[in-house]
Amino acid sequence: TGDAACAPEDMKQTPLILCNHVSYLDGMVLGWCFGAPKIIAMKGTLNVPVVGAFANEIGVIEVDRSDPNSRNATIKAIEDHVNEWQPGKKPLLIFPEGTTSNGESLLEFKKGAFSPGAPVRPAVLHYTGSWHPANTNYRTGAHGELQATGDAEWVEQFLGHVMHALQIRVLPPYVPSEAEKADPALYADNVRKVMKSAHQLLLQEAAQKQADAEQRTIQAYARRSVDLVEDATVRLMQGARDTASAIARPLTGRASGSSDGEEPFQRKRWSGRKGRLFSKERG
């Protein structure tokens, strides 16, 4: 557990925050959500337009990954932060996978974040929008085939979507046992199990929410379709009744005679013939 005096949402309870890594967006999104913690990034990040200004503001720690000793440099940067950190100060955000994944599960953790043996605050994220920013090298086609892409298309997709949705779940602080402090690999494995379980649960909940939303949409369309059919049926029946009434009115008039009291045509004609025959016989 973390400091009992701290609110659960306080992200400054531990010197390190750990999260799974999915895309270029993670650092900026988590930096904003977690109150701009420090982040370890590759050398040159501070020189990138826009991103560099944001990175400088939150205090990015640069590591030269082209340096053969970059692993040691990263561990050194983490240990220096942990040693200098005090409760209430900015934590250091680390992606323990060391690279991005496809977001479906968690990769194996590097040991760097666990070498100091300090408490960590785990968190997991999952993108839920119509466009998934995880993959910059390929995309899935309409028929499930993989199609090559690049950074330019990733940026185009990013800018082409008005909203990017994701869910973040922050877990309670994880305080290592003495055995975990003495064995960074054990510490890393145990924290990964906790985060993987939380991540899978997050994916399941997101999938269920999407299924429920789709079901509500289908039901709404079904109700609308029923309403349209019922409305069309009522109009059709009303039209049929109106047509039947319009046809019946002239027929009724011919069967009952005209308004001046004359007898129907067929009866009048028969009476006339009968009258002529009767006169002829009398003559």
Side-chain angles (χ1 to χ4, degrees):
T1 59
D3 190 340
C6 296
E9 64 273 14
D10 186 357
M11 298 303 295
K12 298 178 180 180
Q13 299 182 53
T14 62
L16 304 175
I17 299 175
L18 308 182
C19 190
N20 60 307
H21 199 10
V22 177
S23 79
Y24 295 146
L25 303 177
D26 299 347
M28 290 185 290
V29 172
L30 295 175
W32 182 81
C33 292
F34 295 160
K38 296 180 179 179
I39 301 175
I40 290 183
M42 64 181 179
K43 185 177 181 179
T45 300
L46 296 175
N47 299 325
V48 177
V50 182
V51 174
F54 175 80
N56 183 65
E57 179 68 22
I58 66 175
V60 162
I61 300 174
E62 289 190 336
V63 175
D64 188 357
R65 295 179 179 176
S66 64
D67 186 344
N69 298 317
S70 62
R71 178 176 177 275
N72 293 332
T74 302
I75 294 176
K76 177 69 164 53
I78 295 173
E79 290 179 344
D80 288 346
H81 169 79
V82 170
N83 292 333
E84 296 172 0
W85 182 85
Q86 294 180 0
K89 287 191 174 182
K90 283 186 179 181
L92 176 63
L93 173 61
I94 298 177
F95 301 111
E97 296 165 292
T99 186
T100 56
S101 71
N102 62 5
E104 297 301 319
S105 186
L106 271 63
L107 303 176
E108 294 296 324
F109 285 0
K110 306 296 183 182
K111 294 185 293 185
F114 307 93
S115 295
V120 298
R121 187 72 182 268
V124 291
L125 64 80
H126 172 59
Y127 287 89
T128 58
S130 58
W131 172 68
H132 200 297
N135 301 319
T136 59
N137 298 321
Y138 69 90
R139 67 180 177 186
T140 303
H143 303 290
E145 74 281 8
L146 297 182
Q147 301 174 350
T149 61
D151 288 349
E153 183 169 345
W154 187 94
V155 173
E156 181 180 347
Q157 289 289 334
F158 170 69
L159 297 176
H161 287 73
V162 177
M163 182 178 67
H164 301 282
L166 77 157
Q167 289 183 309
I168 302 171
R169 177 159 297 168
V170 180
L171 308 179
Y174 190 110
V175 180
S177 64
E178 293 302 320
E180 290 171 330
K181 290 180 181 179
D183 187 351
L186 175 65
Y187 189 10
D189 186 56
N190 289 344
V191 173
R192 180 179 178 274
K193 289 178 182 177
V194 173
M195 292 177 61
K196 183 177 180 181
S197 177
H199 183 256
Q200 289 301 313
L201 180 60
L202 188 63
L203 264 62
Q204 292 171 9
E205 292 175 353
Q208 185 61 51
K209 288 180 180 179
Q210 181 176 358
D212 292 344
E214 292 175 353
Q215 183 64 30
R216 287 194 296 270
T217 300
I218 292 173
Q219 292 174 348
Y221 276 120
R223 286 194 296 270
R224 178 58 178 164
S225 298
V226 170
D227 291 342
L228 290 174
V229 170
E230 290 179 347
D231 185 58
T233 302
V234 170
R235 293 186 180 185
L236 182 61
M237 294 178 65
Q238 184 62 46
R241 286 194 293 267
D242 292 346
T243 301
S245 299
I247 294 174
R249 280 194 295 271
L251 292 177
T252 302
R254 287 196 294 270
S256 60
S258 61
S259 59
D260 59 0
E262 293 183 352
E263 296 179 352
F265 174 73
Q266 292 293 338
R267 184 178 178 183
K268 181 178 180 182
R269 180 184 177 189
W270 172 252
S271 299
R273 290 178 62 190
K274 184 176 180 181
R276 288 195 296 273
L277 288 172
F278 178 76
S279 299
K280 187 176 180 179
E281 288 174 357
R282 289 175 60 188

